[in-house]
Amino acid sequence: MNSRRSTLFVTIGTTLFGAPLGAWAAERNDAIMKSLKNLDRRNEVESGEVVYRLRKAQGQLQRAVSLAKIREYTRARELLRGGDVDTIRDDLKNLEAYLVKERPTFSTFEELALIGSLEAFDNILRAIQRGGNANATQENVDADGVMLLQAMDDVVSLLDRKYGS
């Protein structure tokens, strides 16, 4: 008898609500998954993992800029491809989710400045390696390196103010 009632309720529910019920369930599931992902991001930030990786990435970027200054472009670009620099985008997204109430402009300023300067530095290194680009000068490599380090310093100093050294 209970199984017949269940079948009846499911049939009535599907008939009455049809696709909207399914869409509602899917939206609810998406919201739950997003919430769990944000919880994971929050835990990663609160445990200090993100801060630790970003500080290590800062040292790696300093080495890459130093290599670029002595015209070791291939080795500098290799440093941009691995280690803790490789997770900068994900780490910044984790910070953005964590700082959303305290620092709602994080993605607009610090995150955008760091990602933009990282891409500019990588692009100028690639251009100078390939040659034939009038803008690909050592002076521009040095300038982009300074911008990159400053953007990274801004993120790390924000973290230092929040979490201490």
Side-chain angles (χ1 to χ4, degrees):
M1 180 85 169
N2 280 340
S3 66
R4 286 173 66 168
R5 255 189 218 159
S6 298
T7 306
L8 178 63
F9 285 124
V10 169
T11 305
I12 290 171
T14 305
T15 304
L16 291 176
F17 301 109
L21 182 61
W24 176 82
E27 285 177 21
R28 190 135 167 93
N29 190 37
D30 289 344
I32 290 169
M33 294 305 293
K34 185 177 179 182
S35 179
L36 288 173
K37 192 172 193 170
N38 284 340
L39 182 62
D40 284 344
R41 288 177 170 174
R42 183 176 195 83
N43 289 339
E44 209 171 334
V45 172
E46 287 178 351
S47 71
E49 292 175 47
V50 170
V51 176
Y52 177 73
R53 279 195 305 265
L54 286 172
R55 286 189 177 128
K56 284 180 58 180
Q58 183 181 31
Q60 194 172 335
L61 290 175
Q62 289 168 340
R63 288 188 298 281
V65 170
S66 295
L67 286 169
K69 283 184 180 181
I70 60 171
R71 293 175 163 71
E72 290 284 341
Y73 308 120
T74 302
R75 290 180 53 205
R77 287 192 75 209
E78 286 171 2
L79 282 176
L80 300 180
R81 300 275 180 282
D84 293 298
V85 172
D86 197 35
T87 63
I88 282 179
R89 289 177 197 273
D90 291 336
D91 289 339
L92 291 175
K93 287 295 176 198
N94 290 345
L95 277 175
E96 177 187 352
Y98 186 73
L99 297 172
V100 70
K101 289 189 174 117
E102 291 177 46
R103 186 116 173 135
T105 60
F106 179 80
S107 65
T108 306
F109 294 108
E110 290 89 358
E111 182 180 4
L112 189 59
L114 181 53
I115 297 301
S117 60
L118 180 60
E119 289 174 355
F121 185 64
D122 188 38
N123 288 340
I124 195 71
L125 290 177
R126 183 180 338 106
I128 206 164
Q129 278 182 309
R130 292 180 179 168
N133 185 337
N135 292 327
T137 65
Q138 185 62 40
E139 184 177 285
N140 287 343
V141 169
D142 294 341
D144 286 350
V146 168
M147 285 189 341
L148 173 60
L149 294 180
Q150 182 58 54
M152 190 66 182
D153 285 344
D154 290 345
V155 170
V156 170
S157 67
L158 172 70
L159 297 174
D160 286 343
R161 285 192 305 273
K162 178 146 178 72
Y163 300 104
S165 309

